[in-house]
mmCIF file of all heavy atoms in Angstrom:
data_model
loop_
_atom_site.group_PDB
_atom_site.id
_atom_site.type_symbol
_atom_site.label_atom_id
_atom_site.label_comp_id
_atom_site.label_asym_id
_atom_site.label_seq_id
_atom_site.Cartn_x
_atom_site.Cartn_y
_atom_site.Cartn_z
ATOM 1 N N ARG A 87 118.571 23.877 59.302
ATOM 2 C CA ARG A 87 119.017 25.247 59.330
ATOM 3 C C ARG A 87 119.681 25.580 60.546
ATOM 4 O O ARG A 87 120.141 26.714 60.684
ATOM 5 C CB ARG A 87 117.769 26.143 59.022
ATOM 6 C CG ARG A 87 117.164 25.849 57.768
ATOM 7 C CD ARG A 87 115.996 26.690 57.443
ATOM 8 N NE ARG A 87 115.239 26.365 56.231
ATOM 9 C CZ ARG A 87 114.535 27.206 55.540
ATOM 10 N NH1 ARG A 87 114.421 28.423 55.867
ATOM 11 N NH2 ARG A 87 113.931 26.739 54.421
ATOM 12 N N ALA A 225 125.021 34.301 106.241
ATOM 13 C CA ALA A 225 124.952 32.858 106.754
ATOM 14 C C ALA A 225 126.401 32.289 107.001
ATOM 15 O O ALA A 225 126.589 31.546 107.896
ATOM 16 C CB ALA A 225 124.219 32.003 105.759
ATOM 17 N N ARG A 250 132.558 38.433 125.858
ATOM 18 C CA ARG A 250 133.870 39.151 125.793
ATOM 19 C C ARG A 250 134.810 38.399 124.922
ATOM 20 O O ARG A 250 135.533 39.027 124.095
ATOM 21 C CB ARG A 250 134.442 39.312 127.198
ATOM 22 C CG ARG A 250 135.743 40.164 127.161
ATOM 23 C CD ARG A 250 136.360 40.128 128.621
ATOM 24 N NE ARG A 250 135.365 40.513 129.643
ATOM 25 C CZ ARG A 250 135.559 40.372 130.880
ATOM 26 N NH1 ARG A 250 136.703 39.794 131.368
ATOM 27 N NH2 ARG A 250 134.731 40.717 131.833
ATOM 28 N N ARG A 262 134.959 39.957 109.145
ATOM 29 C CA ARG A 262 133.790 39.374 109.746
ATOM 30 C C ARG A 262 132.715 40.414 110.004
ATOM 31 O O ARG A 262 133.090 41.545 110.529
ATOM 32 C CB ARG A 262 134.186 38.681 111.083
ATOM 33 C CG ARG A 262 133.100 37.801 111.664
ATOM 34 C CD ARG A 262 132.889 36.558 110.863
ATOM 35 N NE ARG A 262 134.050 35.752 110.873
ATOM 36 C CZ ARG A 262 134.404 34.863 109.922
ATOM 37 N NH1 ARG A 262 133.585 34.779 108.887
ATOM 38 N NH2 ARG A 262 135.472 34.108 109.958
ATOM 39 N N GLU A 361 102.899 24.786 126.243
ATOM 40 C CA GLU A 361 104.240 24.191 126.061
ATOM 41 C C GLU A 361 105.015 25.129 125.130
ATOM 42 O O GLU A 361 104.439 25.966 124.449
ATOM 43 C CB GLU A 361 104.062 22.803 125.466
ATOM 44 C CG GLU A 361 103.344 21.831 126.338
ATOM 45 C CD GLU A 361 104.081 21.606 127.706
ATOM 46 O OE1 GLU A 361 105.366 21.564 127.679
ATOM 47 O OE2 GLU A 361 103.442 21.591 128.745
#
Side-chain angles (χ1 to χ4, degrees):
R87 304 179 182 208
R250 185 187 307 166
R262 191 72 62 207
E361 297 299 321

